[in-house]
Amino acid sequence: MKSIGASFRRFRRKPAFTGFILFLVVLLLNIIVQGWSQCLSKGFSVGNALAFFQPTSLNSIFMSNMPFILVTIGQALLLLVGQMDVSIGVQIALVNVVCIMVPQQTGCPTWVGWLVGFAAAFAISALAGVCCSVLRLPSLLATYAMTFLIQGINVLIMAVPQGVVPRAYWKPYQSTVYGLFENPPSFLKFLDYIPVAALVLIAVLLIWHFFSRRPFGKHIYAVGTNQRNAFAAGINPVSTQMKAFLIKGFFVGVAGICLTLMSASGNPLQCEEYGIKSLSAAIIGGMGWGGWGSISCGVFGGGFLVLIQNAVYYFFTLLSKLFNGFAVTSYWHNFVSDIIIFGGLLMTLVTAREQRKTLQQGLKSQFKRGEKNVK
Amino acid sequence: MSNKSTMEFQSNKDFFSRVNLFVQTHTALMAVIIAAILFVATIIINPRSFNLVAIGNIVLLTVILSIPAAGQTMVLIGGGMDFGVGAVMSATAILTTYTMRGENGHFLPVLLISIAIGVVVGFVNGFCSVKIGLPAMIVTMAIANIVTRLQYILTQGVLSGTASPLLAATVKFKIGGVIPHVAVYALIIWPLVFYILNKSRFGKQLYLVGNNPAAAKLTGIKVDKVRIISYIFSGVLAAFAGIIGAAYMSTARCQIFDGYAYDSLIATIIGGTTFAGGSGSYAGSIAGSLVMVLLSNLLTSLNLASPIRNVLNAIILVLLLMLYNRGKAVRQ
């Protein structure tokens, strides 16, 4: 019991605590609203009350929002080293366009297109890194300018939305693990609750885990907090930031492929708003500007934004079922979810203040203990 | 031989460092020079673009952009950033067309409500970023999103109403066929902003607050109050720019002026105001606005396909940023 309390206290000092609490609240809200709404229309039962956890509902949430969550993770990584990229949204559109057009124009297999898409993601991220880190331009304005560049390239590659992806590719991504089997044995039924898209997220997080264990994982914090001090300590700030941009390029590549599999077609002018949305998601998740936060902040922040939109949608369906004749346009959905996102931003302050306090107390107690030992 | 080449190199280096020094000390003048280069380039590429109508349009667009840029300059000098100017402009533009519906005589209520919107949004922006301490960029963006959603709820995404003929005439009518009437607005607003920034007590306090908040606090300045007022000025100026923009466009759809958030920011930065706060001038921001307008004018006169225009726009913007807005090197 004591160890649980101790580990909770330790978790409370972690940057991801803010985002985790907000994520938990909105998850509960989502479960209640969706379950209630389902019970009203289909009669009360335990299955309907937990409608959120039904395989189709879970799967559609994971599948359609995986690109955004991956983008938020990339954005969180950049924020850690004190940079940002508002062109990250159009970058995944670029990967999408390349993945569709390369097989379509050259007749090569789809996976070659994916490799070229990854290469494009790395190249464009490296370019953004050169502008922000090597040339030291203000990253907000430089990457905003790059939004024009990438959108121009997208339209040059693909003028209008078009293209198809073979069914053999998008079908597995859009199904659950259980759905992958031809004739599944019934004792594996629990696998129906694991969407394939969730496995993508887990794989990406494992790859990040590998990076964070290397010296690079410490360097990003040093560089993000103070470049000059990091340099004095023998860390090359430019190369660390470039590495961060390249790893972000990997996340963008995966996100772009998820986007391609999700829509099974190409659109050169989509996802532009992801750039700014992912920034606020990362901040809601508990990121600071440089040196404060972790990748899990990105996961929770992205999850928060995704679940808010879902919850607001079911909230209005619930209202229309509770009160006959209640109907609003989707503009109201967006308005309410934006108000809640703003509320989430204000909430980070309350939780972050708590965090800072605990952090300071922790530092102070260590300091005092040190003094005592000296005496 | 080698000695001579070293000397040449030395003098070259001197030349570059002198140019660099000039750029860094005369940012406003530099922006005017860039604007002149862009204008001459436009005329060389397309001689027909050198006519009175085009020049009148350049003046008009520059004046419209210079108004939100004024607010942006104040906020940046105080050490903040305002991403909400575009959304406020769109909101008041929609309000103008929806209230006027092509009739005269609604100007005063529209002006008062718009200014109220500007004050409220500016105050919320300022309060959240200064008092509560959230990152200015994120919080102003979140509030701008809410303002945008309100536009959609008000209009249901439908285009309706036009600016009154009288208001449109005060903006578009050209004195002597060249200078648009909007210059009159500029004659009111520009001196006012110059006075606020350079002569008034608030302006002096704002520079000190941006430069060194701790020192400002020690001299007895209410730092938070000064900063919040700078956000309110930004909101009000953007609201006013929205009315003029509506008069220029006649009709207004949702998010029509959202691009002005970035445009005003880049214009201000080109004009020599820095992200760090405490330095900058409104003259620079006006010159920066002129650069932005002439840049888009140049790209339109090139008559290129829109994707290539986008790519060129990006490259020129990055070059402009590279010219004199680079951060300090870690190694010095």
Side-chain angles (χ1 to χ4, degrees):
Chain A
M1 209 56 213
K2 212 172 187 179
S3 68
I4 292 174
S7 56
F8 175 74
R9 269 196 297 280
R10 210 178 313 133
F11 181 53
R12 234 175 66 164
R13 273 183 234 135
K14 289 260 162 74
F17 180 71
T18 327
F20 178 71
I21 293 296
L22 283 172
F23 177 75
L24 217 59
V25 168
V26 75
L27 181 67
L28 271 177
L29 189 77
N30 215 323
I31 293 167
I32 294 169
V33 171
Q34 198 170 339
W36 193 354
S37 169
Q38 189 85 351
C39 284
L40 279 181
S41 59
K42 291 189 179 164
F44 183 80
S45 76
V46 177
N48 283 344
L50 293 176
F52 177 76
F53 292 106
Q54 274 165 10
T56 45
S57 139
L58 265 187
N59 190 26
S60 80
I61 285 185
F62 267 101
M63 181 198 87
S64 54
N65 295 304
M66 199 41 57
F68 178 68
I69 293 175
L70 289 173
V71 158
T72 313
I73 294 174
Q75 194 74 266
L77 175 61
L78 288 188
L79 280 173
L80 267 183
V81 290
Q83 298 281 5
M84 67 178 104
D85 193 342
V86 288
S87 67
I88 202 163
V90 285
Q91 286 175 11
I92 64 172
L94 172 72
V95 177
N96 170 245
V97 164
V98 169
C99 283
I100 294 284
M101 286 314 265
V102 167
Q104 189 173 316
Q105 295 295 325
T106 63
C108 60
T110 310
W111 59 269
V112 177
W114 289 14
L115 284 185
V116 181
F118 259 109
F122 278 122
I124 212 77
S125 297
L127 185 61
V130 167
C131 285
C132 300
S133 175
V134 179
L135 298 175
R136 301 188 303 277
L137 303 177
S139 52
L140 168 70
L141 296 181
T143 53
Y144 170 68
M146 283 194 62
T147 313
F148 286 110
L149 178 76
I150 300 167
Q151 252 175 4
I153 295 173
N154 285 358
V155 177
L156 283 180
I157 298 175
M158 179 194 275
V160 286
Q162 57 180 296
V164 284
V165 178
R167 190 171 190 274
Y169 282 91
W170 61 257
K171 187 67 187 163
Y173 173 75
Q174 297 194 359
S175 69
T176 61
V177 177
Y178 185 70
L180 288 179
F181 297 101
E182 280 289 322
N183 288 311
S186 57
F187 70 88
L188 285 177
K189 190 75 183 161
F190 71 95
L191 286 179
D192 212 12
Y193 291 92
I194 306 173
V196 172
L199 294 184
V200 174
L201 179 65
I202 292 169
V204 165
L205 287 181
L206 280 179
I207 291 171
W208 168 248
H209 190 72
F210 164 75
F211 280 115
S212 67
R213 294 283 139 169
R214 301 176 67 78
F216 171 75
K218 296 274 182 293
H219 291 178
I220 49 175
Y221 286 95
V223 170
T225 315
N226 190 329
Q227 288 198 35
R228 206 166 288 265
N229 293 357
F231 180 70
I235 301 166
N236 185 348
V238 173
S239 104
T240 309
Q241 288 185 340
M242 281 306 287
K243 274 183 204 159
F245 268 100
L246 287 178
I247 295 174
K248 185 223 73 178
F250 170 72
F251 292 151
V252 165
V254 179
I257 285 171
C258 285
L259 181 72
T260 311
L261 294 178
M262 182 192 101
S263 57
S265 66
N267 182 355
L269 296 173
Q270 59 185 340
C271 297
E272 194 193 343
E273 75 281 3
Y274 277 16
I276 284 166
K277 257 171 81 178
S278 64
L279 259 180
S280 37
I283 297 288
I284 287 177
M287 298 293 305
W289 295 98
W292 176 263
S294 66
I295 291 301
S296 25
C297 292
V299 179
F300 291 134
F304 174 82
L305 240 66
V306 164
L307 287 182
I308 274 293
Q309 270 149 11
N310 200 42
V312 167
Y313 170 76
Y314 279 104
F315 178 66
F316 278 107
T317 357
L318 177 65
L319 280 186
S320 69
K321 279 171 190 162
L322 286 177
F323 308 106
N324 267 340
F326 180 88
V328 287
T329 52
S330 66
Y331 298 128
W332 279 95
H333 295 197
N334 294 335
F335 176 65
V336 173
S337 40
D338 272 352
I339 291 257
I340 297 175
I341 290 169
F342 179 58
L345 274 177
L346 292 183
M347 279 300 296
T348 56
L349 171 88
V350 180
T351 37
R353 186 175 280 167
E354 186 77 9
Q355 243 169 34
R356 268 174 228 144
K357 215 185 283 170
T358 45
L359 190 74
Q360 273 173 356
Q361 273 168 359
L363 283 176
K364 212 178 274 175
S365 68
Q366 276 191 353
F367 181 62
K368 274 180 185 162
R369 206 179 299 142
E371 269 184 347
K372 212 182 281 173
N373 288 344
V374 167
K375 274 176 189 172
Chain B
M1 178 65 199
S2 74
N3 199 12
K4 199 182 168 192
S5 69
T6 336
M7 271 178 68
E8 254 173 25
F9 178 70
Q10 204 72 28
S11 68
N12 261 346
K13 204 179 167 194
D14 274 359
F15 174 72
F16 278 120
S17 63
R18 248 183 296 157
V19 167
N20 219 353
L21 191 71
F22 176 79
V23 168
Q24 265 152 21
T25 45
H26 300 82
T27 38
L29 189 59
M30 195 60 210
V32 174
I33 293 172
I34 294 171
I37 293 171
L38 286 173
F39 190 56
V40 171
T42 314
I43 294 169
I44 291 171
I45 289 165
N46 189 353
R48 267 186 302 171
S49 67
F50 184 69
N51 57 41
L52 293 179
V53 179
I55 293 173
N57 273 334
I58 289 169
V59 172
L60 207 158
L61 288 170
T62 308
V63 169
I64 294 180
L65 180 56
S66 73
I67 298 170
Q72 194 74 262
T73 312
M74 289 187 194
V75 175
L76 278 175
I77 288 174
M81 191 193 294
D82 192 351
F83 257 73
V85 289
V88 173
M89 275 181 79
S90 309
T92 54
I94 282 173
L95 184 84
T96 309
T97 56
Y98 262 64
T99 321
M100 288 186 168
R101 294 193 182 279
E103 295 163 16
N104 289 331
H106 294 294
F107 182 70
L108 204 60
V110 164
L111 183 69
L112 290 179
I113 299 173
S114 297
I115 287 180
I117 292 177
V119 169
V120 169
V121 175
F123 178 75
V124 175
N125 276 337
F127 190 81
C128 290
S129 59
V130 175
K131 281 278 184 197
I132 302 185
L134 290 165
M137 184 189 139
I138 297 294
V139 81
T140 50
M141 228 180 253
I143 291 165
N145 270 343
I146 294 175
V147 174
T148 305
R149 297 308 180 195
L150 280 173
Q151 293 165 25
Y152 279 102
I153 287 174
L154 180 74
T155 63
Q156 294 297 321
V158 186
L159 197 70
S160 134
T162 49
S164 74
L166 188 63
L167 180 63
T170 64
V171 172
K172 282 194 239 175
F173 181 78
K174 287 180 180 154
I175 305 164
V178 188
I179 301 163
H181 239 149
V182 76
V184 178
Y185 290 109
L187 282 182
I188 302 168
I189 291 196
W190 288 3
L192 191 71
V193 176
F194 273 117
Y195 172 77
I196 292 173
L197 272 179
N198 299 327
K199 296 283 175 225
S200 76
R201 207 164 114 183
F202 167 76
K204 304 273 179 205
Q205 289 180 342
L206 189 66
Y207 275 100
L208 184 53
V209 164
N211 211 354
N212 192 337
K217 200 166 191 174
L218 288 177
T219 54
I221 297 171
K222 289 177 178 143
V223 174
D224 289 357
K225 193 175 139 196
V226 170
R227 278 188 172 159
I228 290 176
I229 290 175
S230 76
Y231 277 97
I232 293 176
F233 267 121
S234 170
V236 170
L237 286 166
F240 189 68
I243 298 177
I244 295 178
Y248 169 61
M249 303 292 283
S250 291
T251 57
R253 56 179 170 76
C254 298
Q255 294 188 292
I256 181 169
F257 293 125
D258 275 16
Y260 274 74
Y262 275 108
D263 281 358
S264 67
L265 192 61
I266 296 179
T268 313
I269 295 284
I270 289 175
T273 310
T274 55
F275 273 129
S279 68
S281 68
Y282 186 45
S285 300
I286 294 173
S289 308
L290 186 63
V291 169
M292 291 301 284
V293 171
L294 286 173
L295 174 60
S296 79
N297 191 35
L298 169 69
L299 292 174
T300 341
S301 72
L302 281 177
N303 231 343
L304 295 168
S306 90
I308 299 175
R309 204 163 65 201
N310 272 346
V311 171
L312 265 182
N313 191 7
I315 293 171
I316 295 176
L317 283 181
V318 168
L319 285 178
L320 280 179
L321 289 174
M322 249 165 73
L323 195 57
Y324 50 88
N325 219 275
R326 295 176 59 181
K328 283 202 181 89
V330 176
R331 264 177 284 188
Q332 277 176 332

